[in-house]
Amino acid sequence: MAPSIPQLKTRTRTRAERPRLYKVILLNDDFTPRDFVVTVLKAIFRMTEGEALGVMMTAHQRGACVVAVFTREIAEEKCLRANDEGRRAGHPLAFTTEREE
Ligand code: NFA
């Protein structure tokens, strides 16, 4: 007689409710002009001049700054568009995404 195979449970854990959130982070560099960073923050992240200045200066002084938090798709899309803007203008401007806990 063939040996019996233990039955494996295949129950999947359903992720209820809240999707994971991702931070978009602005990284400092020594070359991208401050006003260009502010322009990108206003255009892609719909910030006011004051908000954009605050985020840009924080990244400038501390090396990085969280710009905003979104679901994964939105975070990645905005990050991509913001990095494209920098590249198109010939600046090393860099944004990245990071999953929240
Ligand atoms: N550090 C850049 C400068 O002094 C400005 C900057 C801020 C670049 C934030 C990137 C991110 N021109």
Side-chain angles (χ1 to χ4, degrees):
M1 219 211 292
S4 67
I5 298 163
Q7 203 52 50
L8 294 175
K9 289 194 178 171
T10 55
R11 199 164 133 268
T12 318
R13 219 185 157 76
T14 44
R15 257 189 65 76
E17 60 220 310
R18 300 174 298 123
R20 289 194 189 288
L21 294 179
Y22 288 72
K23 292 176 277 205
V24 174
I25 298 164
L26 166 64
L27 304 174
N28 185 40
D29 69 69
D30 292 339
F31 306 101
T32 308
R34 294 181 185 197
D35 65 343
F36 183 84
V37 180
V38 168
T39 300
V40 170
L41 289 172
K42 285 162 69 178
I44 312 277
F45 299 95
R46 305 183 158 270
M47 289 185 168
T48 63
E49 180 82 20
E51 290 166 342
L53 265 169
V55 166
M56 182 278 293
M57 282 310 293
T58 299
H60 177 72
Q61 289 163 352
R62 295 156 72 142
C65 182
V66 175
V67 178
V69 171
F70 303 100
T71 55
R72 185 177 178 171
E73 276 206 316
I74 306 288
E76 286 176 351
E77 187 246 3
K78 284 184 184 280
C79 184
L80 217 73
R81 281 171 54 205
N83 284 331
D84 270 2
E85 290 288 318
R87 186 168 41 239
R88 277 158 34 91
H91 300 307
L93 182 64
F95 290 80
T96 185
T97 61
E98 187 181 300
R99 201 181 86 189
E100 282 207 318
E101 297 315 306

